[in-house]
Amino acid sequence: MNKDLESIVLTKEQIKEKVTAAAKWLDGKYGSCENPPLFISVLKGSVMFFCDLVREMQTPVQIDFMTVSSYGSNSESSGMPKIVMDLAAPVKDRDVVLVEDIVDSGYTLQRMRDLISGRGAKSFTVVALFDKPARRKVDIKADYNCFEIEDEFIVGYGLDYAQQYRNLPYVGILKREIYEKK
Ligand code: IMP
Ligand code: MG
């Protein structure tokens, strides 16, 4: 285990189980759709989850990416998520599936929902790896959550603190001293 972590929340094996279950749920929902749904990865945090998830699915999908930044290098959301890189393709009349790493305050999800619905998507579904309901500031939630966590700051498998720890193959709780010393 990385020395900056307090404990492991999800091992590599547990992540695989969660991904398989989410892929199954999505295949059930979109397997008989006429047109392939558009899967959007909210970068950078969801990238590992996104790649594993779409590869585990049987249903043909299309993919796109959007970079959203809410944190700077803090562990608290600024409340004003910024679109750093927009989608390449239009979402009008598409079945959109947004893939998020974690829903925390909910500001990012709210922003994405308003944006994508505003552009005329036919449907909007959200799949999140983690849900942290204790920290919610807006009344919004994912349609499918893989795992619910307490109010702890987690890193790994795409999730960062100040852009670090994203490439850990597991998810763990970051020691408080790492982010409280700043
Ligand atoms: P929200 O806008 O507060 O819901 O936060 C959403 C984004 O904040 C996520 O997509 C993550 O990138 C980041 N985030 C929230 N909680 C954590 C955490 O515990 N570890 C790492 N990143 C987090
Ligand atoms: Mg982040």
Side-chain angles (χ1 to χ4, degrees):
M1 180 172 82
N2 184 290
K3 64 173 178 24
D4 296 344
L5 299 188
E6 203 171 277
S7 61
I8 304 260
V9 175
L10 286 182
T11 63
K12 219 170 155 173
E13 294 69 29
Q14 288 167 326
I15 290 171
K16 185 145 200 335
E17 280 173 31
K18 303 285 178 199
V19 169
T20 304
K24 219 180 209 164
W25 184 80
L26 287 160
D27 278 331
K29 194 168 161 68
Y30 295 101
S32 55
C33 270
E34 213 175 298
N35 299 311
L38 180 66
F39 275 56
I40 297 174
S41 169
V42 184
L43 297 175
K44 300 173 216 164
S46 81
V47 67
M48 312 293 176
F49 177 47
F50 183 83
C51 293
D52 286 345
L53 185 65
V54 295
R55 283 183 298 178
E56 199 60 35
M57 288 179 64
Q58 306 295 317
T59 311
V61 304
Q62 293 181 0
I63 64 173
D64 205 345
F65 302 91
M66 189 167 213
T67 308
V68 182
S69 169
S70 55
Y71 272 32
S73 37
N74 292 321
S75 65
E76 287 283 329
S77 171
S78 64
M80 273 303 264
K82 226 175 59 198
I83 310 296
V84 177
M85 183 190 76
D86 206 341
L87 300 168
V91 296
K92 189 161 170 34
D93 301 327
R94 301 294 307 268
D95 289 305
V96 170
V97 179
L98 194 79
V99 180
E100 261 285 23
D101 52 356
I102 182 166
V103 182
D104 186 32
S105 67
Y107 288 132
T108 306
L109 187 52
Q110 183 183 46
R111 179 86 210 271
M112 298 295 289
R113 186 196 58 191
D114 292 351
L115 194 94
I116 288 166
S117 308
R119 290 179 183 177
K122 184 167 136 202
S123 67
F124 181 68
T125 299
V126 181
V127 176
L129 181 58
F130 289 100
D131 185 23
K132 216 194 268 185
R135 303 227 328 155
R136 203 72 94 251
K137 294 274 178 13
V138 286
D139 185 21
I140 196 164
K141 59 181 196 264
D143 300 278
Y144 187 99
N145 281 303
C146 295
F147 200 73
E148 188 175 305
I149 46 153
E150 304 291 312
D151 186 7
E152 301 279 5
F153 200 81
I154 53 173
V155 294
Y157 192 60
L159 290 148
D160 74 306
Y161 171 66
Q163 301 302 329
Q164 293 191 76
Y165 313 105
R166 290 196 198 273
N167 69 321
L168 295 175
Y170 47 81
V171 179
I173 296 176
L174 190 63
K175 285 180 182 164
R176 279 184 181 272
E177 68 210 51
I178 305 287
Y179 56 93
E180 280 176 354
K181 75 183 172 197
K182 305 247 158 124

